[in-house]
Amino acid sequence: MGRDRELALLDGWLDEALAGNPRVVLCSGEPGIGKTRLAEELAQLARARRVPAAWGRGVESEGAPPYWPWQEVIRSTAEFVDVVDLADGSLLTDHVRHLLPGRLPAGSGTADAGSSEVRFAQFDGVSRLLRQVAGRTPLVVVLDDAQWADQPSLLLLQHVVRTLSDERLLVLVNHRDTENGHSALLTGMLRDGPTRAIRLSGLGEAEVGRQLALALSHDVDSAQAAKIRALTGGNPFFVGEIARAMDDAHAPNRGSVVTVSVRDAIATRLRRLSPGCVELLQAASIIGREVSAPLLAAVADLPVATCLGRIDEAVDAGLLVTGATPARHQFVHALVRDAIEAGLPTPERVRLHHRAALAIEEVYAGQLELHLFDLARHWAVAAVQGDASTAVTWIRRAAEEALNQLAFEEAARLFRLALDVGGGAVSDDDRCRMLLALAGALGAAADFPGRLDACLQAAAISRRTGSAELLAEAALLLEGVFGHPDTDLAAKRLGEEALRLLDPAATPLRARVTARVAEACMYLGDAERAERASEDALALAQDCADRGAMVAALHARRLVCEGPDGVEERERLSDWMLNLSSADRDPRIELWAHLWRVDASFERGDLLAAGREIAAAELPAKEVGGRFARWHVVRAHGVLAQAQGRFADARRLASEAFDVIAPTGHPIAALPRAALLQMVGHHVGHDHQTMAANQVTEAPVDSRPFTRSGSVMLVLGPAYLLADLGRVPEAADLYRSLGPVAGWRPTPHATLAAYALGIAVAVALDEPDDVARLRALMAGHRGRHVASGAGAVAYTGPVELWLGIAGRHLGLYDEAAADLEEAVRTCAINGAKGYHAEALHELAATLAARAEGRDLARARSLVADAARRATELGMALVASRSAQLIQQLTDEGPSNPLTPREHEVAELVTKGLTSREIAGRLYLSERTVQNHVQHILTKLDLSNRSQIAVWVTMQK
């Protein structure tokens, strides 16, 4: 009644969903406003189109298992589709088994239990399962009372929404907008494409009048309807309660009823029931919205038969309705249960919770695992009577089960509850262990500040009790996270403290802590301490012969050796990893070994070897499963495509890799895509996608967001892109924000990339001093190629290419030519087609500038080859530059020894500009301009600036 507009909207969105345009509808409103009734109408509309509806409901009490609404949805879906068969046929069994307890076999996944990666695989599994279901039959999913759902359930909903594509699926999410527990999560979904919103408000006076007339079986005058509309706000449930009270007031021997609130209305109805029925309803309100007769009888300490009789009285009074079986009943509305529970005095509420806890232990003995969360809820309230230790035991068990079910946020809530309820009754050892478990749950939920706080609290207790082992566990839980240096600082401090207290003998724990200290030191820039710690970790792991400790030590050592000088050792470490996996094969270990080899192959410039290792990584990545493993492999394929000049493939794979990892919220998900697209754009031109990925727009770039990152590469990358685009002043602002080259501290794995991009930008800005410094830093790495030592990001050609570019700019033509000859030869051999064309162009430009002997003739030949190759590859920028060089060689011949920049300076000298004025025009320093003038005078064998003007005029 009064919801025609909303029903029409739902009807239209259902049609869109059936056409393959999935829709998610967020329906909000106050309690009793009619959200559930509207969902029932939607289900009828769907049924008329032969579309089934699957329901799941949030439970107002905190005793429901994690993911309860989704368990109900999948259980409901199983009534019309064989979801077990679908899950098995789609290889999803391991990922969704927690949501079908008892119906799927135990999992055999290889990822770490309780990790965020495993949870993401579960979320992805549910999305894929829904897609499979929608492939067989269109589907409506109703998530009712979402405000009461646990946070993991809503995070799963968020993932489902973000992965929808063309499923024939409509999801209706009902939630109260008067409760703000999850409002940010729900409203955040409105930004997603398939999401729509409906907000239900109160009925108008006319609709209220019609509802009253139907309930009372007689017309109601408009004044009375207006009065009740004002009293209830047009809330249909409240109107119904008032109507019931009015009807009762007209019954024989009833006095006048004046109702000022719905709670009063329900209290009035309770007074008309027998005392036994009221006591039963009070006990039921403690159990929850739905109750079973045996459990309710045990809580009320009544025979089941007596209990059933009183239940019938409550059903007749319209307060309870029969559930799925005769032994199960539920309150007619959650507001009824809320009102009855709210009316209980605190002592009685505590007593009933205690009775409920004991009754569950009695009624469900032998299957308490299914009721841990209800036990935790009841014991948490009953603990006030003094039995805190029992309460802590049950709450802790529920928290551990939530962790097992990958409901990390719920686990964290329960661990915190156990700590609060236990108070002084919890021993230091138990409190420390619960804090560590809390830290693990918070870390898996990506609450890194919360994890750090829990670890520091646990560390303080472990110091007080002298437990080096628990202190070590606190350090190990603080895994490094990009953008959270405080985590690494704490891990280093706690780890070093634990190592001083642990037994000096080689143990797996000591090896793992030492490895974690090495990683923390590396992330904090203390390479010397990291070097020593990683060596110690390897030695300890070898001595204790523990595979887990050895894997941790190898990872730490690989991190320490991620720079360009560590290629050979990283190759040995990868061999070591493969040997670890050979005896008892572990695909995770095997995957890492091949990925490390991929990095080393790119750094050696061996693209064929890189391809072989990527192919070898495919099988273990598939066995490991999940998006992280797939991301690594797809990303590597993209870098190989870019290196080989398959630019369209590289762009496609960059986007594919990003699409794989982005839904996980990984902190660096966007960086590899930005880097790869930028290197592709350098050769074929920068498009909107490349600019957006690198946070560069058509508007002038503000350097501050980039410089705040503290990362050399996060500044140089955009500066290089801007220089490529010809936006030199903006590139200059970014580049100069880094300060002197001597103060740069790039991460070791990005060292060569920082030098290469630095050279490119310094050349564009005509900063010869910086070019010279960067060239000197890079010179010791001849024979290497510019690629990351910590995961494939982009391939940037041989070191000699960048040395040659720098040498030519400095006028070191002989050295530049030698380096570029080697770059041409290397790229011709390894198949780096794009860099082969670029190296040919740079060599031709260098020979043209040197102009000795047959240099010009060879330059013409080389640049013609470069132009041809660049054109074939679609390298518009290189082809354009080569065409300009061809024109220059044709027009100027051997009589013109000046570089393009020197030509610009000479032209401005001819116009009578001073060195300072030229510097302002070309965005150069005055000293640089003076150096250019001196080079021009030397090359042309002239004595003064006037002669330069004469020479330029003669050339024209």
Side-chain angles (χ1 to χ4, degrees), residues 382-727:
V384 72
Q385 291 184 333
D387 200 357
S389 59
T390 300
V392 168
T393 297
W394 285 112
I395 299 170
R396 189 172 177 179
R397 283 185 62 180
E400 290 165 351
E401 179 58 24
L403 207 55
N404 182 55
Q405 294 187 25
L406 311 178
F408 306 129
E409 296 79 8
E410 183 66 6
R413 183 189 71 79
L414 288 165
F415 279 125
R416 282 179 169 139
L417 180 62
L419 289 164
D420 290 342
V421 168
V426 178
S427 69
D428 280 345
D429 184 74
D430 279 346
R431 180 168 291 275
C432 186
R433 292 182 188 279
M434 279 195 284
L435 282 166
L436 292 174
L438 170 62
L442 291 171
D447 181 355
F448 304 119
R451 178 184 67 177
L452 176 59
D453 181 64
C455 283
L456 293 177
Q457 289 186 55
I461 296 173
S462 67
R463 286 190 199 98
R464 189 167 66 245
T465 59
S467 174
E469 288 76 14
L470 293 178
L471 184 61
E473 290 296 335
L476 290 174
L477 280 166
L478 291 173
E479 296 178 354
V481 180
F482 182 78
H484 291 268
D486 50 348
T487 293
D488 293 305
L489 283 167
K492 177 178 181 289
R493 180 169 61 83
L494 297 182
E496 290 177 337
E497 186 179 353
L499 290 173
R500 289 193 295 270
L501 298 174
L502 286 170
D503 186 331
T507 63
L509 180 59
R510 187 174 189 86
R512 289 168 56 224
V513 172
T514 306
R516 179 67 192 101
V517 168
E519 291 173 341
C521 289
M522 197 65 190
Y523 291 133
L524 294 169
D526 188 353
E528 185 178 345
R529 175 74 179 95
E531 173 79 23
R532 295 196 307 272
S534 66
E535 290 176 347
D536 291 346
L538 269 178
L540 288 165
Q542 285 179 281
D543 288 346
C544 68
D546 180 84
R547 186 162 78 161
M550 181 60 73
V551 170
L554 288 171
H555 273 283
R557 185 62 187 168
R558 196 277 314 166
L559 182 65
V560 170
C561 299
E562 68 179 8
D565 294 325
V567 175
E568 289 81 2
E569 182 166 359
R570 279 187 274 119
E571 288 175 327
R572 291 195 295 272
L573 295 175
S574 66
D575 292 340
W576 210 335
M577 286 283 271
L578 284 176
N579 288 335
L580 280 178
S581 181
S582 61
D584 183 14
R585 186 170 174 272
D586 184 332
R588 292 180 69 81
I589 295 175
E590 190 176 318
L591 175 61
W592 280 117
H594 288 299
L595 291 175
W596 294 354
R597 286 181 170 182
V598 168
D599 295 345
S601 298
F602 280 127
E603 291 171 278
R604 289 189 180 281
D606 190 343
L607 303 186
L608 288 177
R612 288 194 299 270
E613 293 300 331
I614 295 170
E618 289 277 8
L619 176 60
K622 184 176 181 180
E623 292 173 324
V624 169
R627 290 180 175 252
F628 289 92
R630 185 64 187 155
W631 177 52
H632 286 300
V633 173
V634 175
R635 202 176 72 202
H637 275 299
V639 175
L640 182 61
Q642 175 248 333
Q644 293 176 334
R646 295 182 286 113
F647 300 121
D649 287 345
R651 275 183 165 156
R652 174 181 57 79
L653 289 163
S655 296
E656 182 181 332
F658 179 74
D659 290 343
V660 167
I661 197 64
T664 69
H666 194 285
I668 64 166
L671 297 183
R673 178 182 64 156
L676 185 56
L677 290 176
Q678 184 176 15
M679 290 305 112
V680 171
H682 171 67
H683 280 155
V684 302
H686 299 293
D687 60 7
H688 176 74
Q689 182 186 29
T690 301
M691 294 173 65
N694 285 274
Q695 301 178 59
V696 172
T697 65
E698 298 294 341
V701 170
D702 181 0
S703 64
R704 288 172 296 180
F706 297 99
T707 56
R708 279 197 293 265
S709 69
S711 166
V712 172
M713 284 302 296
L714 292 183
V715 175
L716 278 176
Y720 179 56
L721 173 60
L722 289 166
D724 256 357
L725 292 169
R727 294 162 61 173

Side-chain angles (χ1 to χ4, degrees), residues 871-886:
T871 301
E872 290 175 354
L873 293 168
M875 296 171 58
L877 294 180
V878 175
S880 174
R881 290 166 55 208
S882 294
Q884 293 172 14
L885 181 56
I886 289 171

Side-chain angles (χ1 to χ4, degrees), residues 699-883:
V701 170
D702 181 0
S703 64
R704 288 172 296 180
F706 297 99
T707 56
R708 279 197 293 265
S709 69
S711 166
V712 172
M713 284 302 296
L714 292 183
V715 175
L716 278 176
Y720 179 56
L721 173 60
L722 289 166
D724 256 357
L725 292 169
R727 294 162 61 173
V728 176
E730 295 166 81
D733 285 345
L734 278 172
Y735 177 83
R736 289 169 182 152
S737 72
L738 291 172
V741 171
W744 292 8
R745 295 292 181 270
T747 51
H749 68 84
T751 298
L752 293 183
Y755 296 162
L757 269 58
I759 285 172
V761 179
V763 166
L765 302 181
D766 199 6
E767 296 282 359
D769 291 344
D770 282 5
V771 174
R773 290 189 185 96
L774 289 164
R775 180 176 179 273
L777 289 168
M778 205 172 191
H781 300 287
R782 284 186 172 87
R784 289 281 183 259
H785 292 242
V786 182
S788 170
V793 174
Y795 171 81
T796 319
V799 165
E800 288 82 359
L801 171 63
W802 301 97
L803 293 174
I805 292 171
R808 185 178 85 248
H809 187 76
L810 297 171
L812 303 174
Y813 299 126
D814 291 345
E815 296 175 46
D819 281 325
L820 289 167
E821 293 278 11
E822 178 60 21
V824 168
R825 186 192 69 82
T826 299
C827 293
I829 292 172
N830 77 349
K833 295 180 180 179
Y835 286 102
H836 186 202
E838 186 172 2
L840 284 167
H841 169 85
E842 296 296 341
L843 177 56
T846 300
L847 295 176
R850 187 172 67 177
E852 297 177 357
R854 293 185 50 77
D855 280 352
L856 292 178
R858 184 156 183 251
R860 292 188 185 97
S861 173
L862 290 170
V863 75
D865 191 15
R868 177 183 60 79
R869 293 175 183 274
T871 301
E872 290 175 354
L873 293 168
M875 296 171 58
L877 294 180
V878 175
S880 174
R881 290 166 55 208
S882 294

